[in-house]
Structures are given as structure tokens and as C-alpha cells.
Amino acid sequence: MCRHLLVLTAVASFFPIVAAGCGNSEKSINAMTLYSLDGEYLPDEGKAWRGEMFHGYPVLAKTEIESPSDRLEILTAVKQGIAQFHDHEHTCFWPHHGVSLLQGGKRIDYVICFHCLQLEQYVDGVDEHKSTSDSPATVLNSHLAKAGISVKN
């Protein structure tokens, strides 16, 4: 039991380092939007998407996350997914989830594909590729479901 507590303490102390540049849970999250995306959309197939886009992907639905505790839960799940990644990557990148937040004066966006365990992180418009585990999917899907939004998988 003590070993588990030690591991949890080590992981908790690691997150501020991991969080640098990708949203720090110690700062208040001023706003957050959670997206359901059509990651398989191909604009060159002759059908132009006429709705909202999020980093090049059609927005099927979205919800504003009003609760500070829900915002923190979502951001923590995304950061844990990045920290838990275990070298298993595919190359599809068909994202069906997106998160946009405003924290500490910075806009931080995540476009996430749980099929290939990859995400694109945008901090004030500058993008960076990262790997993730599929663990955040449960949290993101539950918040989308709470808003009556289903995710296209």
C-alpha cells in the first residue's frame, strides 16, 4: 500500500512539469469548450463542410463547460493521457474530440484521435504533436453525453 502512495505522490509531483505549455491545472481555467468532431472528413471528396470547423475538422457538436471542477477534470484527463502514453502509435489521425480552453491569458486547444493515440496541441496558435493514451476518452465522452452529444467513432 505504501508503494502505491509513493507512486501516486511521484506522479502528482510530475504533473506540473508535464503540464508546462499544455495548461497548468494550478491556474484557473477561464473558459472551456468540448467538441465532437468528424475526423474522417475529407474536403477533396466534393462535399464542402458548411458548418463550424475546429483546426480543420468539422464540428458535429460542442458544449461549453461551465463548472470549474468539470474543466479541471477534463484538463487533468488530457494531461494524464499524455503522461500515460506507452509507445503504441498508429498513423490515421481521425480526431473525434477537441478541447479548447483559456487559461492564464493563453488559448490552448487539443485535437485528439483515440484511434491512433495522438493529439495536436495548439498554444496560442502554435501546434505541437503529442502522443496520448485512450484513458481521457471516458471523461470526455461522459461530459459530451451529459450535454446530449454522441461521439462519432
Side-chain angles (χ1 to χ4, degrees), residues 5-56:
L5 182 57
L6 180 61
V7 170
L8 289 174
T9 302
V11 169
S13 66
F14 179 69
F15 275 114
I17 296 167
V18 171
C22 68
N24 186 340
S25 59
E26 294 173 6
K27 293 182 182 176
S28 176
I29 303 167
N30 304 99
M32 180 180 280
T33 306
L34 181 59
Y35 295 89
S36 173
L37 305 174
D38 182 356
E40 297 172 49
Y41 170 77
L42 296 172
D44 55 344
E45 287 187 346
K47 292 183 179 178
W49 183 259
R50 299 194 190 283
E52 181 181 357
M53 301 287 277
F54 184 69
H55 294 285

Side-chain angles (χ1 to χ4, degrees), residues 61-118:
K62 67 182 180 180
T63 183
E64 298 300 322
I65 306 299
E66 300 294 337
S67 164
S69 62
D70 288 350
R71 291 174 183 169
L72 184 58
E73 178 185 31
I74 291 167
L75 180 57
T76 300
V78 171
K79 290 192 307 183
Q80 285 176 343
I82 294 167
Q84 293 170 348
F85 176 71
H86 293 294
D87 197 30
H88 175 77
E89 189 173 323
H90 303 282
T91 58
C92 65
F93 204 70
W94 298 329
H96 294 287
H97 296 81
V99 178
S100 180
L101 62 107
L102 184 60
Q103 183 181 43
K106 292 187 181 231
R107 169 70 52 200
I108 303 164
D109 294 342
Y110 298 96
V111 180
I112 308 167
C113 177
F114 291 117
H115 296 286
C116 65
L117 305 177
Q118 298 179 74

